[in-house]
Amino acid sequence: MDSVLENMNQLIQEDETWSNILFARITYNKQRLTKLYHAGDFAGVEALVNETIDLIDAINDGAMPISRKDEVVGSWEDINVSRNSQRDINIALNNLACILTDIERYEESVKLFMQIQERGHHMNSYGFSKWIYSIWKTRGTEAVKDALAVNASYEIADLVKHTPELLEIKG
């Protein structure tokens, strides 16, 4: 993990004007959060969560294209393409919100998931399960029922395969 983080950091430091800098910073911070959490550095987690939220708050959606040109997935063009579209940033934010759930930062996770939904991002069942789990941990079973009612695409039974702890929800 250390060498991966170091390589990511060097890449970010290489060119502040790189078109992928925002996507890379969010992804880098997500990986750092995981490492800090598993190392028991909760003060470091707190500081990095705050730094990352500030970074997210400064995003100017209007300056980004809605999506990028679709390329063949796995092609060199796809790998090397700019990831600064609204769609790509929403994917990075979704991944970050999932990690926030995993590192027990439920309040921040709920807020970030709600923010990306407001931005028009549709969550897959994995992300949705993490959002529901964070809602449950912060707001209780009734709030989960409300969230499921508004987002009828998924039921608890569908989400348990990604977040088995959701089996504990009663009713």
Side-chain angles (χ1 to χ4, degrees):
M1 179 66 108
D2 289 335
S3 64
V4 170
L5 286 172
E6 181 56 34
N7 289 337
M8 288 178 78
N9 188 36
Q10 287 177 9
L11 187 61
I12 289 168
Q13 300 303 319
E14 205 171 277
D15 181 4
E16 289 288 320
T17 64
W18 179 40
S19 66
N20 291 324
I21 196 80
L22 182 58
F23 185 89
R25 281 190 176 135
I26 293 167
T27 302
Y28 174 64
N29 285 359
K30 173 186 73 104
Q31 294 303 110
R32 286 177 53 210
L33 282 168
T34 302
K35 181 181 181 205
L36 291 168
Y37 175 79
H38 289 292
D41 183 354
F42 302 114
V45 167
E46 179 74 23
L48 187 54
V49 165
N50 292 335
E51 174 187 320
T52 306
I53 296 300
D54 289 345
L55 174 67
I56 292 166
D57 288 345
I59 293 174
N60 179 0
D61 277 342
M64 285 185 267
I66 292 173
S67 63
R68 61 184 159 92
K69 180 181 172 226
D70 290 328
E71 301 287 346
V72 177
V73 175
S75 68
W76 281 113
E77 290 83 11
D78 186 48
I79 292 169
N80 293 315
V81 75
S82 173
R83 304 228 183 263
N84 73 342
S85 71
Q86 291 177 27
R87 179 183 177 275
D88 291 320
I89 297 306
N90 285 337
I91 290 169
L93 295 177
N94 182 83
N95 295 341
L96 174 62
C98 290
I99 290 299
L100 289 171
T101 298
D102 291 345
I103 65 169
E104 302 177 31
R105 300 298 298 226
Y106 305 117
E107 274 297 329
E108 293 93 342
S109 176
V110 168
K111 288 177 186 173
L112 187 53
F113 275 125
M114 292 179 78
Q115 181 182 356
I116 63 176
Q117 286 179 75
E118 289 168 3
R119 294 165 61 114
H121 181 70
H122 176 74
M123 287 184 274
N124 61 20
S125 60
Y126 180 80
F128 191 76
S129 74
K130 297 299 182 180
W131 181 56
I132 292 296
Y133 187 71
S134 288
I135 288 173
W136 180 47
K137 294 303 267 184
T138 58
R139 301 178 184 167
T141 304
E142 289 304 313
V144 166
K145 290 177 186 177
D146 292 343
L148 288 170
V150 171
N151 297 283
S153 304
Y154 304 108
E155 303 218 6
I156 289 291
D158 301 324
L159 306 176
V160 169
K161 64 183 169 191
H162 301 297
T163 309
E165 299 86 352
L166 291 173
L167 275 173
E168 299 173 31
I169 295 177
K170 305 289 188 257

